[in-house]
Amino acid sequence: MNTIPLFPLATTLFPAGVLTLRIFEVRYLDMIKKCIADGSQFGVVTLLSGSEVRSPEGNEQLATIGTMARIEEWSAPMPALLHVRCTGTSRFHLASAEQGKYGLWSGVAVPIDDDPEVPIPPKLQSPANALGALIASLQKDGVPADQMPLAAPFRLDESAWVANRWSELLPLPVEEKLRLLMLQDPILRLQAIRQLLDDRDLLS
């Protein structure tokens, strides 16, 4: 267990996922600058209630599972603004969390084992095929690599990677995304994704 800085967001980050942030609040500017300076990561947790931007009402409620984020690229177009592009790394359970006097959250994180590298079973190949077609379409349309909603390497033969990318891309309720993030078995996560894609007629 270790204490980490937290960034509550109205989204759910999965391992190997892409996260782009436009940061202007002082509490997060200071946090991100420190992470850049010492090469450390921060924890992304989903907001169950409350606002990403600090408000007098507060009432921020955090999920109890999150994903560490590593800063890959950053720029400062003006003194009080940072643009950062991050990659999700490992998951963690949030044992406790507290908010400092300047509004910055920190918490005690218990690491969760990384997903095992499991090949995609033949019966679950359709979500991988659909994701491959989506990537090919984005590339054909000339979307630059740094603007893609998912980052290379494209591990279309790996159950966890395919399931995680669809978990991010699909417009699912927060509770469903967190349920998928909590699943320890990548095959079960991929099975759930196939059902969700089937329900939306997104599989050929």
Side-chain angles (χ1 to χ4, degrees), residues 79-152:
L81 180 65
L82 279 176
H83 290 168
V84 298
R85 181 178 173 89
C86 308
T87 298
T89 58
S90 56
R91 295 172 298 166
F92 61 88
H93 284 297
L94 193 59
S96 64
E98 63 179 4
Q99 193 171 26
K101 63 179 180 178
Y102 298 112
L104 183 65
W105 285 90
S106 62
V108 176
V110 181
I112 297 174
D113 290 341
D114 292 338
D115 285 318
E117 294 185 8
V118 180
I120 295 177
K123 64 180 181 179
L124 295 176
Q125 185 61 41
S126 53
N129 294 343
L131 188 59
L134 174 61
I135 293 169
S137 176
L138 292 170
Q139 292 173 330
K140 184 178 179 181
D141 290 342
V143 178
D146 63 356
Q147 294 179 26
M148 293 270 279
L150 63 176

Side-chain angles (χ1 to χ4, degrees), residues 57 71 96 117 139-140 150 157-158 167 203:
E57 296 81 16
I71 298 170
S96 64
E117 294 185 8
Q139 292 173 330
K140 184 178 179 181
L150 63 176
D157 59 347
E158 190 178 314
S167 296
L203 296 177

Side-chain angles (χ1 to χ4, degrees), residues 35-53:
C35 290
I36 291 170
D38 59 22
S40 59
Q41 301 184 28
F42 59 94
V44 174
V45 288
T46 303
L47 268 173
L48 301 179
S49 65
S51 171
E52 290 182 350
V53 178

Side-chain angles (χ1 to χ4, degrees), residues 13-26:
L13 179 65
F14 284 72
V18 172
L19 176 68
T20 56
L21 296 170
R22 180 177 179 271
I23 301 166
F24 54 87
E25 285 193 84
V26 172

